[in-house]
Amino acid sequence: MEGMPQPSAPRRSPGRPPRISREEVIGTARRLVTEEGVDRLTMRRLAAEVGSTPMALYHHVRNKEELLVLLLDDYAARTLRRPELPARPRERVLAAAAAIHEALAACPWIVEVLTADDLMSTSALWFVEQIVDGLVEGGLSVEQAVHGYRAIWYYTVGEIVVRATAARRRADDARATYREQVFGSLDPGELPRLAQVADRWAPLTGEDTYPDGLRALVDGLLAVR
Amino acid sequence: MEGMPQPSAPRRSPGRPPRISREEVIGTARRLVTEEGVDRLTMRRLAAEVGSTPMALYHHVRNKEELLVLLLDDYAARTLRRPELPARPRERVLAAAAAIHEALAACPWIVEVLTADDLMSTSALWFVEQIVDGLVEGGLSVEQAVHGYRAIWYYTVGEIVVRATAARRRADDARATYREQVFGSLDPGELPRLAQVADRWAPLTGEDTYPDGLRALVDGLLAVR
DNA sequence: ACCTGAACACCGTTCAAGT
DNA sequence: ACCTGAACACCGTTCAAGT
């Protein structure tokens, strides 16, 4: 919420007094999304929930996309607490990235919005600062550090997106059996490694390996070439 | 297409002869998506384009989601050519990942489907094999290699997703000016690094740094701890 | 077996009018 | 300034019937 410009300046009241507020709209949207999932959040449903009409909402948010971004901002402001970070640059970068990842992983509806922006929200900028600064202290130039942060961001977004989709698919077993079928009939002559791990593929890719990959990435970034 | 089970077995013809085929449906969907974008691909529009009714399509694909996955499979089978890869493991992994990334980056509509599955399609498995094998030859265990491949996959998906969204946003300048506003009013006392790069943030994050991040990640993965 | 027509249960958003 | 009602231009999918 903070940092996001109001669509209409809150000038003193010539005209009709507001029945609903932007805060109420966002608060209700948050409840709807956490209780019923992001695809149940429609402008019509939200209007009903807030006791108003669909078009009243458009007086408080520009459109549905802005509503979703506001929701992410609200979530970040509400849950991101600044932790005590390690002093050593490598560990600081790892901890800051892990904190962002943890916050994102905790709310699965975020994926739809996640792809919406690169800086998440003003509340997340402090973590970005820690990562960029840690990389600079680790020996990178500022430019390299920004690029390094981006690489970490790509990796983090990708993990969240793939994980969220996998969770969605888990209900639908048609894909799972298709995967089994493909992996069960691999030609060990052509694809020996995949054939070798075929029956362990599901559990292996199901493990949470975000920290491992992150460590590898950060170590690779800090190994100045 | 290949590898995907037909919903109805092609038994010999008791009944009405088919007017449209699954291939025709997918081919028309491919044209629609490349000519007008993925959000113009609707079952109704596709039916009209194919000269039939919406419900006729459901006789050839299970639903819209299956259609999209079939489309990705079709694209992969049609564009992924197996290149001559370097012999050295590190370079082989880099080249195989870059080839996948290049194919994905070339078709922006892929993002919606990308999140749908982890193995892309049978045509992509050869590239996965090269990556896993390269990592094993580089000194990892098979399990570590699969996890390493996943890290590369996360990084690649993330880059594509973020890039695609940035491109979509570029038209809408409201977000851009919001970003400028946030970065223009950074407190150098609190966020010194970000304040330092504030005016270079857009060009810096606009650069294509996929290969750099990939190199860092792969080097980190191969530096056995 | 394959296709059609009509219907169900929805969407986001614009426009014109009301208070 | 804020809200309402009606309408526009769509969706994906189910169901019952036709050939």
Side-chain angles (χ1 to χ4, degrees):
Chain A
M1 327 240 283
E2 94 270 296
M4 211 59 188
Q6 294 277 126
S8 51
R11 220 167 295 153
R12 286 298 85 217
S13 53
R16 189 165 161 171
R19 273 160 132 71
I20 55 174
S21 68
R22 177 184 259 229
E23 283 68 37
E24 196 185 345
V25 169
I26 293 170
T28 310
R30 183 177 60 243
R31 183 170 61 72
L32 211 47
V33 138
T34 52
E35 282 175 9
E36 310 198 23
V38 70
D39 42 63
R40 301 291 277 275
L41 175 66
T42 70
M43 297 304 267
R44 286 158 187 272
R45 177 73 200 282
L46 179 56
E49 211 72 21
V50 103
S52 185
T53 65
M55 280 320 295
L57 303 178
Y58 286 85
H59 232 270
H60 301 272
V61 298
R62 192 195 307 269
N63 50 31
K64 188 175 181 183
E65 194 179 299
E66 195 195 57
L67 176 68
L68 287 172
V69 174
L70 287 169
L71 217 50
L72 179 54
D73 260 30
D74 173 61
Y75 175 76
R78 182 175 300 273
T79 63
L80 281 181
R81 294 285 157 267
R82 301 182 181 183
E84 203 71 49
L85 290 183
R88 297 189 52 214
R90 175 181 180 273
E91 275 67 33
R92 190 144 50 96
V93 171
L94 292 176
I100 292 180
H101 179 258
E102 190 190 5
L104 293 176
C107 74
W109 58 267
I110 220 89
V111 182
E112 257 83 345
V113 201
L114 202 60
T115 62
D117 207 3
D118 54 349
L119 60 88
M120 286 183 58
S121 90
T122 49
S123 322
L125 286 182
W126 182 80
F127 291 86
V128 179
E129 170 78 19
Q130 301 311 310
I131 292 174
V132 173
D133 187 59
L135 291 175
V136 170
E137 290 213 351
L140 304 197
S141 71
V142 234
E143 291 79 12
Q144 289 175 318
V146 171
H147 289 151
Y149 157 70
R150 290 289 281 186
I152 293 172
W153 178 239
Y154 295 154
Y155 172 68
T156 304
V157 167
E159 203 273 349
I160 296 286
V161 166
V162 171
R163 167 220 291 280
T165 320
R168 233 185 304 167
R169 296 305 126 144
R170 209 156 297 145
D172 167 29
D173 48 66
R175 295 297 298 167
T177 49
Y178 171 53
R179 206 239 336 264
E180 272 169 38
Q181 186 189 310
V182 169
F183 269 78
S185 61
L186 287 178
D187 179 1
E190 234 217 330
L191 304 173
R193 294 296 180 197
L194 298 187
Q196 186 184 353
V197 293
D199 50 338
R200 280 173 295 160
W201 188 263
L204 276 175
T205 57
E207 286 176 43
D208 175 19
T209 56
Y210 177 82
D212 296 310
L214 178 65
R215 240 182 339 255
L217 178 55
V218 171
D219 285 341
L221 289 170
L222 288 175
V224 216
R225 287 162 296 274
Chain B
M1 327 242 284
E2 96 269 294
M4 211 58 189
Q6 295 278 125
S8 51
R11 219 168 295 153
R12 286 297 86 218
S13 54
R16 189 165 163 171
R19 274 161 134 69
I20 55 174
S21 68
R22 176 183 261 229
E23 283 68 38
E24 196 185 346
V25 169
I26 292 171
T28 310
R30 183 178 59 243
R31 183 171 60 72
L32 210 48
V33 137
T34 52
E35 282 175 9
E36 310 197 24
V38 71
D39 41 64
R40 299 293 276 275
L41 175 66
T42 68
M43 297 302 268
R44 287 160 186 271
R45 177 73 201 283
L46 179 57
E49 211 72 22
V50 102
S52 185
T53 64
M55 280 320 296
L57 302 178
Y58 287 85
H59 232 269
H60 301 271
V61 298
R62 193 195 306 272
N63 50 32
K64 190 176 181 182
E65 194 180 297
E66 195 194 57
L67 175 68
L68 287 172
V69 174
L70 287 169
L71 217 50
L72 177 55
D73 261 29
D74 172 62
Y75 175 76
R78 181 175 301 272
T79 62
L80 281 181
R81 293 286 157 264
R82 301 182 181 184
E84 204 71 49
L85 291 183
R88 297 189 54 213
R90 175 181 180 273
E91 276 66 35
R92 190 144 49 96
V93 171
L94 291 176
I100 293 180
H101 178 258
E102 190 190 5
L104 293 176
C107 75
W109 59 267
I110 221 89
V111 183
E112 256 84 346
V113 202
L114 201 61
T115 61
D117 209 3
D118 54 349
L119 59 88
M120 285 183 59
S121 90
T122 50
S123 323
L125 286 181
W126 182 80
F127 291 86
V128 179
E129 170 79 19
Q130 301 310 311
I131 291 174
V132 173
D133 188 58
L135 292 175
V136 170
E137 290 213 351
L140 304 196
S141 70
V142 233
E143 290 80 12
Q144 288 175 319
V146 172
H147 290 152
Y149 156 70
R150 290 289 282 186
I152 294 172
W153 178 239
Y154 295 153
Y155 172 69
T156 304
V157 167
E159 203 273 350
I160 296 286
V161 166
V162 171
R163 167 220 291 280
T165 318
R168 234 186 302 166
R169 295 306 126 145
R170 209 156 298 147
D172 167 28
D173 47 66
R175 295 297 299 166
T177 50
Y178 171 53
R179 206 238 338 261
E180 271 168 40
Q181 186 190 308
V182 169
F183 268 80
S185 61
L186 286 178
D187 179 1
E190 235 218 329
L191 305 173
R193 293 298 180 197
L194 298 188
Q196 186 184 353
V197 293
D199 51 338
R200 279 173 295 160
W201 188 264
L204 275 176
T205 58
E207 286 176 42
D208 175 19
T209 56
Y210 177 81
D212 296 310
L214 178 65
R215 245 191 325 265
L217 178 54
V218 171
D219 284 342
L221 289 170
L222 288 175
V224 215
R225 286 163 296 274

